[in-house]
Structure formats: structure tokens, C-alpha cells
């Protein structure tokens, strides 16, 4: 696996990070510009809070884990200044989007803005010891926990109680977030959240008949034969499995680790497009027509999360099936998504594997999935090299 | 054009209407089932108010304009009973979705539910003279006018005043709705709305430099260089142009008619996919990456509205360019969308022109665009035959 370590590390440091260093810093108004076309040119100046928080996290993580470069810390602090000044409403909830100057555009209807702001500031605290970052990360985390049963608040369009579904996204993100905030919220909080979340993901959302995980279930945990209840997002399942593998490793729980690998392999087989290659974005678990018109597209983050998952699966267990899938995914994804000409990865391919959009960043894609995955891939594979697997 | 008259009339009466008669009537709970797979099998039972109202309209229109078949009137009344019993909240606003039994699922955040309920009931009143239908259609129309400046109400996620955009959809639908309700709201109301709407569509949303119409503009009518402001939906522009042609004909306004034809032809050229044929779903007017991942797909209604527009353009003016485009569109669309094996039309093709989903009806596709368009096409072309164009 040594060649892969070199390849993915080089991709991170030479092809991906320079792109964001060069094009995303808004020197005029602060924060980051994330709507970047293929060559890095700015095609829109709106600022989406998910991506502001995520870039703070990425730059802090690089400083912490890759190399203590002052420039990376400065970029993270540059983003933090902007979001702390403009990002919250009077209750401390985070807006979804701001305009370039920082004026609010879209209300705090989406709690993932809060999750990524908290995650970014917590990572920045780790490398700066600036208490303000820890305080806002902590306050935001508390609000997320308060709001978790109705995260959309008054913007929730579901009529109460006719069909009470619960979604897979929030427990997923909370498991990751609590770990990211362990140095701030303490290990007891993390451990009790982890207990709950492992149960939710691996038992409640998991469907034993199909071996898959659905995006939503009834409040009592039963299967819901509705558009939402039938929806499977294979990339999301696979991403969840490497979160769970990390928890299994933390707890030295071999049974949990084994179940994670089974589910991840099952989701890969299920999501793989036998005709054109790549992993579908959405499927209906009963094979009915999904609502999502983009269901057959191949998304960057899906393939990167799958690479991370297989790298981790192999590093934790030495399972050869994980290695084989890693190679297959690498073979499909690297040449299609990575853009050696201008840097970074394309985000959206059509079913046939050609770029559907030219953008490198937009409303949902920023400086996050590509660098996080590249780092985690080579970090995991390095351990296999060291262990001589 | 006589062959087209026969072809489109036959398609309506033998391939499309029988599909809905056979599969969409929910005899158990009332209303219509619209989530129908290729062969008519029900794949989901949720009831979307847009589509309930629209099917009432279609069945009433067929009775009124094609043939006074009792069965069509019965189907319309079957739908009306269901929506009158279950469709509204205590303020009289229409829910977006109900479950099969009629329990509310999604709150009245979307005013198009109200538009289509009103339109359906007004058409049903025309063929039944039942005053209840007229009263509810009228009350709903009044609420739409009241709500038009903030149709989403408390579900509006836009932060007030940072970026006040206005959308093209509501004036469009109001122009059509007021005409549909003329026998209920009176000609004065219709005429004053028409004045305003012709101005909005043909001057405010119209962009003289490009010759196109954008989906949103600033409140003062200027161009907004934002995702929303740059968005062009060619099918929507073309549909709007046949609405406007009808108004031009009503007012015997040759200048307006001419402008409608220019814009429609421009939108067709602009939206046409030179590589694979068909009309793109979305484009960015400055040629930047759009947010809509489905931008390159070929949708049934887009092609049908374009056929209607070209049939009307030719019928009203004899313009040979309209005839040529009609033939080109017919050649692309008919064989790809129409399904002679099971009836009705596929809704969604990928860029290459193959079915992306197998469904014939779903959350957004019901018994409406296909029959309305088929009827309007042969009705328009019949006049060209009669006039000997």
C-alpha cells in the first residue's frame, strides 16, 4: 500500500490544498469564497455556513495533524473571525447563508450549519488555545442538543404527528461532532452519546433483511414504506461505517468492527453501478422510482468516503475484501474526479462518469471532503505499511 | 398539419386518458393515486395537492371541451369530494401533501397547491353548476391574492430585506388562473390582473440583452447576479409564451404576439441540446455552473409545453419557423416520451434521451401536462387545417 500513501499525500499537498489557499480566501470581506469554477475563478460570492465552518476545520486539522504551518492557522483564524462576527442570530443559532459582506441571507433552519461551525471552532481551539473558540463551540453544541428533536424549528413543514419519522443524518453527525469536541465537552458526554448513537445507527436504522441502512425510520424504529423511509444513500451508509469503525476501535469492540465491515461491503455492492462503474447517489430500497432526479449521478464525496472506509477497514482488520474494494474505487475515482490541470476534484459526474458541472466548489462542496478523505486515506494506509500488512 | 391533429388526438384519447382512468382512482379512500410506475402499478400512496387539483381540472376540461362523458365528470367529482373534505387547514389554505386517507402530511407552505385546487374546482363548477365548487374556488383565489407577497408565510427561510427577489412563477400562474376563473371572478378582475402580468413577464422578467426571461429579479426589476437571478428554465419561458400568446389573441395585440414568438424561438434555440437533442431543464444565463444537478435532463412537460407553444404560434400567425420547430420537437419527443406499451408518457429522460425513471406519475407528475398539452396541440392545429394555413 506504500504507493497509495505517497499518491494520496501528494494529491492532498500538491493538488488540493494549494487550490483553496490560492482561490478561496476573501481578503476583502473576510471568510471564504467557495463557489469556484474549474480554474478557481469565483462564479458566485454567497457564503454558506456549512462550508465556512468546514474550511476552518480542515485548515486547523492540517496544522494539527499534517504540519504546523502558520499559513494554515492564519487561514483558519481568518474564517473564524468572519463567522464569529456575522454567522449567528440573536439566539446564537447559525444562519444557513450570508452574502459576501456577511449580511444574513437564509435563516437558521438547518442545524448542520451549527454542527460545522462548532466542529471548526473546536478544531481551531485545539491549535490556538483561544478560549473564545472553545466557548462558542461549546454553546453551539449545547443548542444543537437542545434543538435535536425539532432541528428545523418553525421552518419544519411536516404536519405534527401524522408521520413521525426520524432521520439518520443527525445521529451520524452527532457521533462525529462529539468526538471532535471531546477536549471541550469531556469524555463522559462523549461516551454517553456514543452508546446511544451506536444503538441508533447499527440497530435502529439498520435493516437486517437487506443488510442496509435507510435514511429515515418511524419514530418507533420500524420501517416506513414512504419516499423518505425507502431512501438509501449508499455513500452516507459507507461514511457512517467508518465513523462506527473508529468507535469500534476506540472501544476495542471486534464484534462491532466486524458488523461495520459487513454493512460497508454490502452497501458498496448494492450501490455500485455495474454498467458504468461508480456508486449511485440514491436508491429506493424496494426498487421503486426515487424522488431524487440526481439518483444516478456519481458524487465526489461518496467515492472519497468509500475510499476512507475501505482504507480504514483494511488498516483495522487486514480484510482483503477491503483492499480489493479500495483498489477498485481508486481505479474508478482518481482519474475521473481529480483535475491535475487546475487542482482539486470535480464534484459531480453524470452516470457515465463525465463531469456534469465544471465547478470545484459551490453551495455544498468546499474545502472539506477532498482534503479530509485524502488525509485519512494515507494516514490509515500508513499504519498498514508500518504494521507490515 | 392534419396528420398531427389525428396523431395527437388519438394519443390523448387512446394512450393517455385510459391510463389515468384505469389506475389513478382511489376507490377505497377517495381522491387520486398519482405515484404510478410504468405499468400503472401504485408505488406510493401519498397524495400531493398540486396533482389532486390538476386532475380535477383535466377531467372537467375533457368533459367541457372534448366530449361530455359522464365518467369524466364523475372522476372530477370524486377528486373534489376528497380535497374538499381533507385538503384545507382552518384558515382555508391548502396543504401540500396528505396521506392516502387524507391526513395532512405537509403544511400549506406552497401556494401552488391553492392555485391548482382553485383551478380544478373552477373547471368543475363550469360543468356542474354546483355553487360549492365556485365558492371554494373564489375564496381560495382571494387568499392567493392576499398571500402573494409572501406566499410561503412563516416557512419562508429568506432573511428579510437582505436580498429581496421576486419570482417569475407566481405572476405566470396568476395570469393562467385568473383566466380559468373568469366565469367566477369576473372580467374586470381578469383584465386588471392581465395588464399587470403582461408588464411583469414581458418587460420586468424579460432581459433585452439576451432576449430571455430569468426566473427571479430584484424587487426593483433589475438583474440579480445570484444563483436565483441567473437561472433560466427554458421550458418555463416557452410555457409562459403560449399563455401570453393567448392574451395577445384575446386583446388582438399583434405587437405582443410578435414579441411572444421572438422570445419563444429564442428560448428554444438557447435551451436546445445540440449534442443529444431535447431541451435542457435549467441553464445559467451567465453560463456559470447551476445549482440544479438535474440541469441537463429532458423533462416531459418542457417538451409538451414547447409543442403547445409552437402549435399556437403557427395557428395564430402562420409563422413557418413555428411549424419547423413543431416538427423538430415532435420528432424528438413523441417516440422518446410516449409509451405505447403501457400508456402515458415517461416523465424524466437523461441527457442522452433514455428514461431516467420508469414512473408515469409521482410527486410532481400527474394527470395534467400530458393531456392538457395533447388537447391544446390538436385544438390549435385543427384551426390551421380549418383556416387552410
Amino acid at each position: 500500500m506504500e504507493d497509495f500513501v505517497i499518491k494520496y499525500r501528494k494529491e492532498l499537498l500538491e493538488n488540493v490544498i494549494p487550490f483553496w489557499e490560492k482561490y478561496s480566501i476573501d481578503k476583502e470581506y473576510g471568510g471564504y469564497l467557495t463557489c469556484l469554477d474549474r480554474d478557481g475563478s469565483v462564479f458566485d460570492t454567497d457564503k454558506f455556513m456549512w462550508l465556512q465552518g468546514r474550511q476552518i476545520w480542515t485548515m486547523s486539522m492540517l496544522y494539527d495533524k499534517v504540519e504546523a504551518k502558520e499559513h494554515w492557522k492564519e487561514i483558519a483564524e481568518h474564517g473564524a473571525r468572519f463567522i464569529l462576527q456575522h454567522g449567528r442570530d440573536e439566539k446564537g443559532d447559525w444562519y444557513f447563508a450570508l452574502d459576501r459582506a456577511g449580511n444574513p441571507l437564509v435563516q437558521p433552519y438547518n442545524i448542520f450549519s451549527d454542527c460545522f461551525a462548532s466542529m471548526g471552532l473546536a478544531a481551531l481551539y485545539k491549535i490556538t488555545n483561544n478560549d473564545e473558540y472553545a466557548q462558542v463551540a461549546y454553546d453551539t453544541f449545547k443548542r444543537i442538543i437542545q434543538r435535536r428533536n425539532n432541528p428545523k424549528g418553525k421552518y419544519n413543514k411536516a404536519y405534527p404527528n401524522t408521520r413521525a419519522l426520524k432521520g439518520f443524518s443527525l445521529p451520524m453527525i452527532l457521533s462525529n461532532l462529539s468526538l471532535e469536541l471531546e477536549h471541550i465537552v469531556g469524555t463522559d458526554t462523549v461516551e454517553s452519546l456514543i452508546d446511544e448513537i451506536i444503538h441508533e445507527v447499527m440497530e435502529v436504522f439498520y435493516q437486517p433483511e437487506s443488510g442496509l441502512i435507510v435514511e429515515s425510520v418511524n419514530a418507533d424504529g420500524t420501517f416506513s414504506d414512504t419516499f423518505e423511509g425507502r431512501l438509501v444513500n449508499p455513500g452516507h451508509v459507507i461514511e457512517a461505517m467508518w465513523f462506527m469503525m473508529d468507535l469500534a476501535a476506540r472501544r476495542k469492540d471486534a464484534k462491532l468492527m466486524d458488523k461495520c465491515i459487513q454493512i460497508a461491503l454490502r452497501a458498496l455492492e448494492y450501490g455500485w453501478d455495474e454498467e458504468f462503474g461508480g456508486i449511485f447517489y440514491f436508491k429506493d430500497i424496494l426498487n421503486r422510482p426515487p424522488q431524487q432526479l440526481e439518483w444516478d449521478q456519481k458524487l465526489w464525496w461518496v467515492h472519497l468516503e468509500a475510499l476512507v472506509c475501505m482504507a480504514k477497514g483494511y488498516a483495522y482488520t487486514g480484510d482483503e475484501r477491503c483492499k480489493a474494494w479500495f483498489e477498485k474505487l481508486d481505479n474508478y475515482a482518481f482519474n475521473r474526479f481529480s483535475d491535475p490541470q487546475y487542482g482539486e476534484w470535480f464534484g459531480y459526474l453524470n452516470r457515465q462518469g463525465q463531469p456534469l458541472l465544471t465547478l470545484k466548489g459551490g453551495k455544498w462542496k468546499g474545502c472539506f471532503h477532498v482534503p479530509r478523505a485524502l488525509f485519512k486515506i494515507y494516514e490509515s494506509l500508513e499504519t498498514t505499511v508500518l504494521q507490515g500488512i
Side-chain angles (χ1 to χ4, degrees), chain A:
Chain A
M1 305 301 270
E2 209 166 342
D3 288 352
F4 284 123
V5 173
I6 295 163
K7 174 177 168 180
Y8 280 83
R9 189 179 155 90
K10 188 166 185 271
E11 180 72 3
L12 174 68
L13 298 177
E14 294 177 23
N15 196 40
V16 170
I17 294 304
F19 183 90
W20 298 102
E21 289 176 317
K22 204 162 164 186
Y23 303 117
S24 73
I25 318 303
D26 188 351
K27 289 181 185 134
E28 212 169 325
Y29 291 91
Y32 312 120
L33 295 160
T34 67
C35 294
L36 303 174
D37 214 341
R38 183 177 177 193
D39 61 1
S41 57
V42 176
F43 70 89
D44 197 274
T45 57
D46 284 354
K47 287 171 178 161
F48 303 99
M49 294 306 303
W50 283 33
L51 304 185
Q52 302 291 314
R54 283 171 153 186
Q55 185 158 349
I56 297 169
W57 180 87
T58 300
M59 291 294 160
S60 304
M61 181 279 286
L62 291 173
Y63 181 94
D64 187 36
K65 302 271 176 69
V66 178
E67 192 188 331
K69 273 197 186 178
E70 276 309 306
H71 186 48
W72 289 340
K73 184 155 76 174
E74 278 161 21
I75 294 176
E77 295 213 272
H78 174 84
R81 277 192 298 277
F82 184 80
I83 71 166
L84 288 172
Q85 189 177 349
H86 301 292
R88 288 164 293 172
D89 73 4
E90 66 288 347
K91 280 188 291 206
D93 296 336
W94 294 82
Y95 294 113
F96 179 74
L98 311 175
D99 69 9
R100 184 173 183 183
N103 301 302
L105 278 175
V106 181
Q107 301 276 16
Y109 80 97
N110 183 306
I111 205 164
F112 296 104
S113 303
D114 306 73
C115 293
F116 297 122
S118 177
M119 184 173 158
L121 293 171
L124 184 54
Y125 168 66
K126 205 181 270 174
I127 64 167
T128 59
N129 275 313
N130 178 334
D131 288 337
E132 186 189 359
Y133 302 143
Q135 189 63 50
V136 178
Y138 182 70
D139 293 344
T140 300
F141 182 75
K142 278 201 306 186
R143 280 288 292 160
I144 294 167
I145 299 295
Q146 276 170 22
R147 288 169 67 191
R148 68 184 286 195
N149 289 323
N150 185 18
K152 291 194 181 173
K154 73 164 181 153
Y155 303 103
N156 186 353
K157 295 178 297 199
Y159 191 88
N161 303 323
T162 309
R163 182 181 293 161
L165 296 175
K166 55 180 181 177
F168 174 48
S169 298
L170 199 54
M172 264 294 298
I173 204 86
L174 284 179
S175 78
N176 188 249
L177 185 61
S178 67
L179 287 169
E180 289 285 340
L181 265 70
E182 190 162 1
H183 57 301
I184 295 172
V185 301
T187 296
D188 287 354
T189 302
V190 174
E191 285 295 324
S192 73
L193 260 171
I194 286 177
D195 284 334
E196 182 190 333
I197 286 157
I198 291 176
H199 168 69
E200 288 284 307
V201 172
M202 304 304 282
E203 289 165 51
V204 178
F205 288 92
Y206 174 69
Q207 308 292 309
E209 320 78 62
S210 59
L212 294 166
I213 288 173
V214 289
E215 287 292 303
S216 303
V217 293
N218 290 318
D220 66 3
T222 56
F223 176 71
S224 168
D225 185 0
T226 58
F227 282 108
E228 297 81 7
R230 295 190 301 268
L231 189 66
V232 181
N233 179 329
H236 202 194
V237 177
I238 298 163
E239 181 183 20
M241 287 309 105
W242 73 251
F243 287 13
M244 293 294 126
M245 285 177 191
D246 282 354
L247 299 180
R250 174 188 173 107
R251 295 193 161 182
K252 303 191 184 9
D253 183 339
K255 208 176 139 200
L256 176 59
M257 183 68 80
D258 184 57
K259 192 169 177 188
C260 292
I261 292 196
Q262 298 312 324
I263 297 175
L265 292 171
R266 169 76 182 108
L268 275 166
E269 274 162 35
Y270 174 76
W272 190 256
D273 180 353
E274 289 297 337
E275 196 172 346
F276 294 100
I279 303 164
F280 288 121
Y281 191 11
F282 291 109
K283 288 182 84 171
D284 181 292
I285 202 165
L286 299 182
N287 225 6
R288 303 197 188 141
Q291 270 180 4
Q292 288 75 10
L293 298 182
E294 64 274 29
W295 74 271
D296 71 346
Q297 297 175 9
K298 312 293 164 65
L299 269 66
W300 87 105
W301 69 264
V302 170
H303 295 79
L304 283 160
E305 296 303 328
L307 282 159
V308 172
C309 189
M310 291 298 101
K312 281 189 185 270
Y314 185 58
Y316 282 134
T317 69
D319 191 315
E320 288 292 328
R321 294 172 301 174
C322 294
K323 187 180 176 206
W325 263 109
F326 181 86
E327 288 166 353
K328 181 171 174 173
L329 287 160
D330 170 75
N331 185 44
Y332 174 84
F334 208 96
N335 296 321
R336 286 181 176 82
F337 284 104
S338 170
D339 180 9
Q341 194 176 345
Y342 293 102
E344 247 290 317
W345 286 36
F346 292 109
Y348 305 88
L349 309 183
N350 63 17
R351 181 169 179 188
Q352 292 77 17
Q354 296 135 350
L356 176 80
L357 296 171
T358 51
L359 63 78
K360 298 290 174 47
K363 183 175 178 178
W364 305 105
K365 181 174 189 286
C367 178
F368 182 68
H369 276 106
V370 184
R372 181 178 78 168
L374 296 173
F375 169 71
K376 288 196 183 284
I377 290 163
Y378 84 74
E379 180 198 38
S380 301
L381 297 182
E382 242 168 8
T383 69
T384 67
V385 175
L386 295 172
Q387 290 161 22
I389 298 184

